């Protein structure tokens, strides 16, 4: 029955009445612009869409941006065990974050606290050390308690005086601790007398003493766990209601040495993250150089990750090394014994998580305070490997061993670091042929890419592996980024039969220690705040629903014209020389010619680096500068041919040739020899965020002159390297700003209509619920702000607003605000299985 017929039936209209209505409908009525909707959404409530699992959305925790030490891990003392090293960061010493009064020396000898805790502090009589904490200092709050502990050793009797102060004076009453004899743990408790962000913890001794593991913990940690988590960060993560927690990385997993931390391996400090280093008493855990340029103490380790996942009701999803490094390192380990050791470590990890309390590794878990198994179901092997065949050969060995001993464990593979390209295609082919259960995809792209690729998973093979979208984000924390991600997420939900799990990344960032941006949750030593992206994730994660209700929406007309823009040259951590630049229009007219026999007056230098004309070439000489863009020509140029001769002189990568240059944030460039000279790609920058349009493996030789040609016709681009076609693409996919999906929450009986309007204008929308019997009102949650709005510690322009809409019917109209994400939760009047369809003749 059509919707019109259903309406007539509900109104009790007979044939005569229907005829009158039909006649009346033929009479012209005055046209009103406001009566015409901008969009139409049509829902089919009787059709069944994909089921949505409880683990659809989760979080990915990696120790980047000091997410662990100085972040989620609640320890307030930085470098508590004097293990900082130049291996971690070139500026570090064992006394980084400490100041000495008197005499003190960091010692590495047989008198140490433990074999895996290599350094300790020898403190002279009458001397002291003071710790500066993180950010501006040690943060304490008036009335709160803080637990101090230290491992100490003294040849005779000595007294430690422990103080907590800032520049204005005491923050708590000093504590005195008598120490003597061999290594022992000593404790004390402070109650803060006032609040400060700039505290300093000092330890002074009357007589010579050795110190290690100097610690200060807030008593009020998340769930009051000892060695626990910072409460305001853990609570923000818990508020997302994540279905899973992926940990510990990331590049931490697949970079560095695969050896252990032992005398036999030379106490290697730059190691991949290996779980056995991170369990047991904290004073016995290893330390390591973090890939992101600092030290990681492993105070936050596998046990704490499992506990946190359990506390927030999330599935734990650990990732282990595959013995193929990535993240720019790109090496495969061929040591069979080492590979077998890591495979056994992974089997031991499963026993640690799931084994009985009397098993070898289950006993370790039980002794740490958790006799019950954690219920591990998934293990990821590897992360973003750029050598897909080498990775997959090793992955298969892990998978075979795990499935033989633990057949119920899902072993997760991956597809490399990009959303497309040779590595991606090869990895997916191998995963598909081997019948892998889940493939972990990662990509970071511009907001435009996310608006263009809502349909990414529509065409995936329904009989192939499922997708774990383990890392994704648009490149920014402004509201326009959140809008683009929300639009993309409607496509993830629509394809929930393929996309089984998804997590934004990275999760955390300390504003004073940033290695990567954007990030979901930001913090310092005193506060934390959710980004605009966080608010989007939270809205979707707490209003997911159980199944998709099929729906369609009209789209926005495509108004894109030809690719237009000037041309440019650039380098990235490389010195290069350019010559014989020619730009010719499609009809053969010369637009630009420069052989650099004179000056470089036609070029505008807008990036970094050092450019000059040398021996008839335009040369960039700074081998460390990143993005040294120079441009020439007219931003209105279109349909042209660009020719450049380029030679790499020195450095890590190749060269960059730009076209379609609008300004410094909007352009295309052909990145030849990028990613540490391992691949070449065309990237598109939109408002500073870049996306890869086409890529191929390959490198650029130093000292060799390359002929580069770019042919632009309309929105199609063809690229030639040394006269041979390298590749082509057509950039004609619309960046659709209006996206929607409808899901059903069977527990509440509600339809959830989720609409993203990324336009700068409101969108009046006709919504047809396809005859669903519904309540006349909807619970509405709206996120709306200026496109460039950014949440900060002191201002949150992107904040959810809840309201009630009372005009719901089988068919109704709703106006979605400009730059908004809106969720309408509409209660159905009775279960759909009881709906009666009436027929009239």
């Amino acid at each position: 029955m059509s919707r019109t017929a259903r309406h007539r039936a509900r109104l009790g209209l007979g044939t005569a009445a229907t005829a009158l209505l039909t006649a009346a409908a033929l009479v012209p009525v005055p046209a009103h612009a406001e009566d015409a909707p901008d969009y139409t959404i049509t829902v089919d409530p009787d059709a069944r869409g994909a089921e949505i699992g409880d683990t659809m959305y989760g979080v990915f925790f990696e120790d980047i941006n000091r997410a662990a030490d100085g972040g989620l891990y609640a320890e307030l003392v930085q470098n508590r065990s004097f293990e900082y090293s130049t291996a971690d960061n070139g500026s570090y010493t064992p006394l980084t974050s400490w100041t000495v009064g008197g005499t003190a020396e960091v010692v590495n000898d047989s008198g140490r606290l433990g074999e895996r805790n290599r350094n300790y502090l020898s403190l002279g009589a009458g001397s002291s050390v003071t710790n500066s904490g993180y950010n501006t200092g040690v943060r304490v709050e008036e009335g709160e308690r803080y637990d101090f502990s230290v491992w100490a050793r003294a040849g005779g009797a000595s007294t430690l005086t422990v103080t907590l102060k800032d520049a204005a004076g005491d923050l708590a009453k000093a504590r005195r601790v008598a120490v003597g004899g061999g290594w022992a743990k000593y404790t004390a408790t402070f109650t803060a007398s006032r609040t400060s962000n700039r505290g300093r913890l000092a330890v002074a001794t009357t007589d010579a003493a050795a110190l290690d593991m100097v610690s200060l913990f807030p008593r009020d940690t998340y769930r009051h766990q000892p060695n626990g988590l910072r409460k305001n960060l853990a609570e923000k993560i818990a508020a997302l209601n994540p279905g899973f927690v992926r940990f510990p990385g990331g590049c931490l997993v697949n970079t560095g040495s695969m050896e252990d931390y032992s005398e036999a391996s030379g106490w290697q400090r730059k190691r991949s993250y290996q779980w056995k280093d991170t369990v047991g008493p904290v004073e016995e855990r290893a330390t390591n150089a973090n890939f992101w340029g600092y030290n990681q103490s492993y105070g936050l380790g596998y046990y704490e990750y499992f506990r946190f996942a359990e506390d927030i009701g999330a599935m734990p999803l650990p990732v282990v090394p595959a013995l193929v490094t990535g993240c720019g390192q790109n090496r495969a380990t061929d040591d069979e014994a080492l590979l077998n050791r890591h495979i056994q470590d992974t089997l031991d990890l499963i026993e640690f998580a799931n084994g009985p309390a009397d098993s070898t590794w289950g006993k370790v878990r039980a002794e740490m305070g958790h006799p019950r198994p954690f219920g591990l179901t998934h293990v990821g092997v590897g992360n973003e490997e750029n050598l897909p065949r080498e990775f997959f050969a090793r992955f298969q060995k892990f998978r075979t061993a795990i499935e033989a001993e633990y057949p119920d464990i899902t072993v997760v593979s991956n597809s490399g670091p990009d959303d497309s390209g040779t590595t991606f295609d090869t990895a997916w082919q191998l995963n598909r042929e081997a019948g892998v259960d889940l493939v972990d995809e990662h990509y970071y792209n511009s907001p435009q890419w996310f608006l263009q690729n809502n349909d990414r998973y529509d065409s995936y093979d329904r009989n192939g592996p499922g997708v774990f979208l383990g890392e994704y984000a648009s490149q920014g924390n402004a509201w326009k980024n959140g809008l683009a991600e929300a639009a993309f997420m409607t496509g993830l939900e629509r394809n929930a039969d393929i996309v089984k799990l998804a997590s934004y990344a990275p999760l955390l960032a300390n504003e004073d220690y940033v290695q990567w941006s954007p990030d979901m949750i930001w913090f310092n030593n005193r506060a934390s705040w959710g980004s605009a992206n966080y608010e989007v994730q939270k809205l979707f994660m707490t209003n997911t629903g159980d199944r998709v209700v099929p729906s369609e929406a009209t789209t926005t007309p495509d108004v894109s014209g030809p690719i237009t823009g000037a041309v440019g040259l650039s380098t990235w951590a490389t010195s290069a020389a350019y010559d014989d630049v020619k730009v010719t229009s499609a009809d053969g007219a010369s637009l630009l010619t420069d052989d650099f026999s004179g000056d470089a007056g036609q070029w505008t230098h807008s990036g970094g680096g050092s450019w000059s004309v040398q021996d008839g070439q335009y040369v960039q000489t700074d081998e460390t500068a990143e993005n040294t863009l120079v441009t020439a020509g007219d931003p209105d140029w279109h349909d042209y041919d660009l020719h450049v001769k380029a030679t790499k002189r020195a450095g890590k990568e190749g060269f960059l040739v730009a076209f379609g240059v609008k300004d410094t944030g909007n352009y295309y460039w052909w990145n030849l020899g990028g990613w540490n000279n391992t691949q070449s790609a065309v990237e598109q920058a939109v408002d500073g965020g870049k996306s890869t349009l086409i890529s191929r493996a390959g490198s650029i030789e130093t000292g060799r002159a390359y002929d580069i040609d770019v042919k632009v016709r309309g929105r199609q681009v063809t690229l030639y390297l040394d006269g041979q076609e390298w590749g082509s693409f057509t950039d004609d996919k619309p960046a659709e700003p209006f996206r929607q999906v409808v899901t059903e929450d069977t527990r509440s009986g509600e339809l959830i209509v989720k609409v993203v309007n990324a336009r700068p204008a409101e969108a009046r929308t006709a919504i047809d619920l396809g005859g669903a019997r519904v309540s006349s009102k909807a619970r509405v949650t709206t996120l709306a702000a200026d496109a460039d709005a950014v949440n900060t510690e002191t201002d949150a322009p992107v904040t959810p607003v809840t309201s009630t809409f009372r005009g719901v019917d089988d068919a109704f109209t709703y106006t979605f605000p400009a730059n908004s994400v809106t969720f309408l939760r509409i209660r159905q009047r009775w279960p759909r299985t009881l709906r009666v369809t009436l027929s009239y003749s």
Side-chain angles (χ1 to χ4, degrees), residues 688-742:
K690 290 198 290 290
S691 301
T692 300
L693 302 181
I694 181 175
S695 68
R696 291 175 58 179
S699 60
I700 294 298
E701 299 175 24
T702 301
R704 174 184 165 188
Y706 290 84
D707 283 307
I708 298 166
D709 291 276
V710 180
K711 181 179 180 179
V712 181
R713 295 292 185 272
R715 300 201 67 80
Q716 183 173 1
V717 177
T718 308
L719 306 112
Y720 301 87
L721 187 62
D722 287 336
Q724 300 296 314
E725 183 174 332
W726 178 88
S728 65
F729 67 92
T730 303
D731 181 24
D732 61 355
K733 203 168 189 179
E736 174 58 56
F738 188 85
R739 297 292 190 184
Q740 60 79 38
V741 70
V742 180

Side-chain angles (χ1 to χ4, degrees), residues 158-233:
S158 183
T159 299
L160 301 181
T161 300
V162 189
T163 57
L164 193 53
K165 299 180 178 182
D166 64 9
D170 291 341
L171 292 169
K173 184 179 178 180
R175 296 290 184 238
R176 289 177 175 79
V177 179
V179 302
W183 286 108
K185 185 177 181 179
Y186 300 90
T187 62
T189 299
F190 292 101
T191 300
S193 56
R194 56 187 176 86
T195 296
S196 176
N197 303 321
R198 295 172 171 79
R200 299 290 187 269
L201 178 75
V203 181
T205 183
T206 56
D207 297 275
L211 307 180
D212 206 346
M213 296 296 292
V214 183
S215 173
L216 186 69
F217 255 85
R219 177 71 59 85
D220 189 18
T221 57
Y222 185 69
R223 297 290 182 98
H224 302 287
Q225 295 287 349
N227 193 49
L229 307 182
R230 177 171 156 176
K231 192 172 182 180
N232 65 355
L233 289 178

Side-chain angles (χ1 to χ4, degrees), residues 212-435:
D212 206 346
M213 296 296 292
V214 183
S215 173
L216 186 69
F217 255 85
R219 177 71 59 85
D220 189 18
T221 57
Y222 185 69
R223 297 290 182 98
H224 302 287
Q225 295 287 349
N227 193 49
L229 307 182
R230 177 171 156 176
K231 192 172 182 180
N232 65 355
L233 289 178
E235 287 179 339
K236 278 188 171 57
I237 299 169
L240 293 167
N241 191 33
F244 65 88
V245 179
R246 175 179 177 244
F247 63 89
C251 288
L252 303 186
V253 168
N254 68 333
T255 55
S257 167
M258 298 295 161
E259 300 286 349
D260 62 2
Y261 191 56
S262 68
E263 184 176 7
S265 66
W267 305 107
Q268 299 221 18
R269 285 294 292 268
K270 293 188 175 183
R271 310 183 309 283
S272 63
Y273 196 111
Q274 299 174 46
W275 77 271
K276 289 181 180 178
D277 286 343
T278 77
V279 298
V282 291
E283 68 274 10
E284 296 177 8
R285 298 183 190 181
T287 191
N288 202 7
N290 184 297
F291 173 82
W292 298 108
Y294 52 89
N295 176 272
Q296 50 189 345
S297 72
Y298 288 148
L300 175 59
Y302 259 69
Y303 177 79
E304 289 75 24
Y305 287 128
F306 278 121
R307 285 296 299 257
F308 183 49
E310 181 179 70
D311 285 344
I312 63 178
M315 176 184 80
L317 204 166
V319 182
V320 300
L323 274 73
V324 178
T325 58
C327 302
Q329 296 184 357
N330 303 332
R331 296 189 306 270
T333 299
D334 292 322
D335 185 331
E336 194 70 18
L338 187 58
L339 174 63
N340 289 334
R341 192 267 287 175
H342 276 268
I343 292 172
Q344 185 59 51
D345 281 355
T346 304
L347 298 175
D348 293 344
L349 169 62
I350 299 170
E351 182 176 280
F352 174 80
N354 293 353
D358 60 355
S359 63
T360 301
W361 287 100
K363 183 179 180 181
V364 174
R365 180 196 70 238
E367 290 174 346
M368 294 183 73
H370 200 283
R372 297 188 322 278
F374 283 116
L376 178 66
T377 59
H378 291 64
V379 173
V381 176
N383 171 77
E384 294 189 6
E385 284 74 21
N386 259 318
L387 303 173
R389 296 191 184 279
E390 292 86 341
F391 159 73
F392 202 76
R394 290 155 181 78
F395 169 83
Q396 283 286 63
K397 293 183 178 181
F398 277 86
R399 182 188 184 199
T400 299
I402 293 169
E403 290 181 346
E405 193 161 339
Y406 299 103
D408 294 332
I409 295 290
T410 298
V411 187
V412 182
S413 182
N414 77 82
S415 59
D418 300 304
D419 61 272
S420 60
T422 304
T423 296
F424 179 88
D425 292 340
T426 302
W428 257 104
Q429 178 186 355
L430 294 169
N431 285 309
R432 192 177 296 110
E433 290 172 351

Side-chain angles (χ1 to χ4, degrees), residues 459-507:
S459 59
Y460 270 50
D461 182 0
R462 263 50 197 173
N463 298 313
V467 171
F468 170 23
L469 181 50
E471 297 183 32
Y472 73 98
S474 71
Q475 293 153 339
N477 274 144
W479 179 226
K480 62 188 175 187
N481 301 96
L483 283 168
E485 290 154 5
F488 189 72
M489 292 171 78
T490 66
L492 299 183
E493 290 193 4
R494 187 177 65 252
N495 288 284
D497 58 325
I498 288 293
V499 183
K500 303 296 186 181
L501 306 94
S503 49
Y504 178 100
L507 178 61

